[in-house]
Amino acid sequence: MYTATAILIIVFAAIFAAFCMSVVVLVYFEQRNSNIPPGVANPGKLHAIHCAYVGMNVVDQILVRLGLCHQLNFTRLCRFFIMGRKGSVPHGLRIKDLTFGGVPARVYEPTAASGEKKRGLVYFHGGGWMFGCIDDYDEVCQYISLESDTTVVSVGLADLTYSVLFINSVRLNFIILFCRFHSLFPIFSYRLAPEHRYPAHLDDCEVVTRYFLSIAATDFGVDPRRVAVGGDSAGGNLAAALCQRLSKTQDGHLPSPCAQVLIYPALQMADFHLPSYQQNHSVPILFRSRTVFFFLQYLNGITSVSQQILEGKHVPAERKRHYKKWLDPDNLPPQFRKGAISPPVIANHDADVYHIIKQGLDPEISPLLAEDDVLHLNPPTFVLTCEFDVLRDDGILFQKRLKDVGVDVTWEHLSDGFHGIISFFNQGWLTFESSQRGLDSIVRYVKTL
């Protein structure tokens, strides 16, 4: 009896050790593919974060292949425990979890008395349209709300999220249930891929924004004419796309957003050879190849065409010529073009690939590709870019296009920043000094609204 038990323990220990060794080896080789330039803030810390993220993805893929876990559940769970901790509500702030038009949201209200109606900001979190939740951005939204005396609405999906792990080997289903109640943990988000595709994410954001604008004055003491929208990364994409959508559907009953706050936004999927994509193609935490993957997951989930897109075979020559006036690297300041080379000329595009991704070139997914008459209707805009970010040039080119059509633009650039740096604000040992500087620039802008 004891011998059998000992053998069983040894076998399980050996399997676990082999599993851990496999993860370590895969993480090591993946880490070797990354490149952290000398100018990045806290390179050692970024290395550690990248290793953690790669480890999560590797374990997630292994569990999926073994049939022990649904796609992305493990990664989402780990990200939640790392980034989604909730502390006590700070003095001077009231936080409520509410539902706007069927889409839950978290509202941050400054409690300080004011002689006039407050300003508002509807915030859409980042995460490649696949990850992230309201709790991940709790510290960010609290800081913006308190420091700028602004009512912030952070957009979510549901007050109950299920992560299901199927342990097929013993025919047991373990349901890890996260809900909003004392020691249980909420995971709030607008609808995410791969469970939901475009336009679900954008529709959720529109529902919350319209609903909040309709009740801002009566329920929250907020002037609806001083409500902006904003977000980071994929959330910045949603904010920019939403402003364009609302500008074309004005009905006179609700005011349009007074501004858009775009934090290293993803703005186009026509050209992945811009200088920032070349210079930062393997800089954590967003690789060039992963950007294509995230866009495709948001669009339709057909990721088998990723390589053709990276090679530039997804856009017909006539459309490339049309976009060139907006995406030409010569439109960038000279310091951002250093070391970049012209991409190879693609004589013929792949018609099948173009058919698959065609909708991704629509301005609702690629706001940078909107025509001038649409861009002209955009509200005043704040754009934050980071030097070591594949999406850097999207933001720079977008702010230039907006300026060219007469939109008031404020552009801030973090010379030592990388993609995702704002989400590490006030995260203990994960905090970066540039996170504070970036967030303070956002606060300064919001105060002007």
Side-chain angles (χ1 to χ4, degrees), residues 264-276:
Y264 35 78
L267 295 172
Q268 58 85 27
M269 62 177 301
D271 188 351
F272 294 96
H273 285 94
L274 292 172
S276 60

Side-chain angles (χ1 to χ4, degrees), residues 6-24 62-63 66 68 169:
I7 293 174
L8 191 60
I9 292 174
I10 292 172
V11 169
F12 276 112
I15 293 173
F16 181 73
F19 177 81
C20 292
M21 183 60 68
S22 300
V23 172
V24 170
I62 292 174
L63 293 177
L66 293 175
L68 302 179
S169 58

Side-chain angles (χ1 to χ4, degrees), residues 72-149:
L72 302 179
N73 276 359
F74 181 80
T75 302
R76 286 172 176 169
L77 183 61
C78 289
R79 287 172 61 102
F80 169 73
F81 278 114
I82 293 173
M83 304 293 296
R85 59 182 178 82
K86 280 186 66 178
S88 58
V89 178
H91 178 71
L93 199 62
R94 180 169 54 244
I95 300 177
K96 301 176 182 177
D97 288 326
L98 302 171
T99 300
F100 290 165
V103 181
R106 182 168 295 164
V107 182
Y108 303 80
E109 293 182 273
T111 57
S114 176
E116 59 180 359
K117 290 187 181 297
K118 295 185 183 295
R119 65 179 70 85
L121 172 65
V122 183
Y123 191 87
F124 315 129
H125 69 75
W129 302 281
M130 298 180 71
F131 300 103
C133 64
I134 287 179
D135 281 341
D136 291 357
Y137 289 81
D138 205 49
E139 294 287 345
V140 169
C141 292
Q142 285 185 26
Y143 188 81
I144 294 175
S145 181
L146 272 175
E147 295 300 316
S148 65
D149 193 32

Side-chain angles (χ1 to χ4, degrees), residues 160-432:
L160 190 63
T161 297
Y162 301 92
S163 280
V164 184
L165 296 173
F166 291 99
I167 314 300
N168 293 334
S169 58
V170 291
R171 296 181 179 274
L172 290 177
N173 291 337
F174 288 93
I175 300 179
I176 302 175
L177 190 151
F178 298 95
C179 64
R180 204 176 131 267
F181 183 75
H182 298 295
S183 62
L184 297 179
F185 305 94
I187 301 181
F188 301 108
S189 176
Y190 49 75
R191 284 177 288 178
L192 297 173
E195 294 87 353
H196 305 279
R197 310 293 184 188
Y198 166 82
H201 312 56
L202 186 58
D203 289 346
D204 282 354
C205 295
E206 180 181 10
V207 166
V208 171
T209 301
R210 286 184 177 276
Y211 194 92
F212 181 67
L213 286 169
S214 70
I215 63 170
T218 56
D219 290 18
F220 297 99
V222 170
D223 185 346
R225 296 166 301 179
R226 298 176 69 199
V227 174
V229 297
D232 64 296
S233 191
N237 170 283
L238 294 170
L242 179 60
C243 281
Q244 293 185 15
R245 177 187 279 190
L246 294 178
S247 72
K248 294 182 290 186
T249 57
Q250 293 180 355
D251 56 12
H253 298 296
L254 292 174
S256 296
C258 70
Q260 55 183 340
V261 178
L262 310 180
I263 306 167
Y264 35 78
L267 295 172
Q268 58 85 27
M269 62 177 301
D271 188 351
F272 294 96
H273 285 94
L274 292 172
S276 60
Y277 276 108
Q278 296 182 41
Q279 297 159 0
N280 304 309
H281 65 95
S282 57
V283 176
I285 54 179
L286 182 62
F287 286 10
R288 176 173 174 257
S289 58
R290 292 294 287 177
T291 308
V292 173
F293 174 80
F294 286 138
F295 263 114
L296 290 172
Q297 287 286 1
Y298 177 40
L299 177 61
N300 53 31
I302 305 176
T303 58
S304 59
V305 298
S306 294
Q307 188 56 41
Q308 292 94 320
I309 293 175
L310 289 170
E311 294 171 1
K313 298 178 179 178
H314 61 303
V315 182
E318 64 273 14
R319 297 199 73 167
K320 284 186 178 181
R321 287 192 293 269
H322 181 68
Y323 298 147
K324 183 174 175 57
K325 61 181 179 291
W326 304 328
L327 302 178
D328 193 330
D330 288 341
N331 293 332
L332 298 167
Q335 66 268 30
F336 297 113
R337 303 197 299 264
K338 292 179 180 178
I341 61 174
S342 299
V345 177
I346 306 298
N348 297 301
H349 74 286
D350 189 316
D352 291 335
V353 175
Y354 174 62
H355 178 74
I356 290 171
I357 66 89
K358 182 178 180 180
Q359 190 176 33
L361 302 176
D362 186 273
E364 283 213 340
I365 294 178
S366 295
L368 178 52
L369 305 183
E371 297 294 333
D372 286 351
D373 59 341
V374 175
L375 283 190
H376 177 70
L377 300 175
N378 272 240
T381 302
F382 171 90
V383 178
L384 177 71
T385 56
C386 292
E387 179 68 25
F388 305 104
D389 179 9
V390 292
L391 299 180
R392 180 195 70 203
D393 295 348
D394 279 23
I396 296 175
L397 292 171
F398 192 60
Q399 63 88 27
K400 181 185 185 303
R401 286 203 64 202
L402 290 175
K403 285 181 179 178
D404 289 346
V405 296
V407 176
D408 183 37
V409 176
T410 300
W411 172 36
E412 295 282 347
H413 183 69
L414 296 179
S415 60
D416 61 349
F418 57 89
H419 189 81
I421 197 167
I422 295 298
S423 58
F424 294 102
F425 170 75
N426 201 22
Q427 293 292 330
W429 73 272
L430 294 175
T431 301
F432 291 79

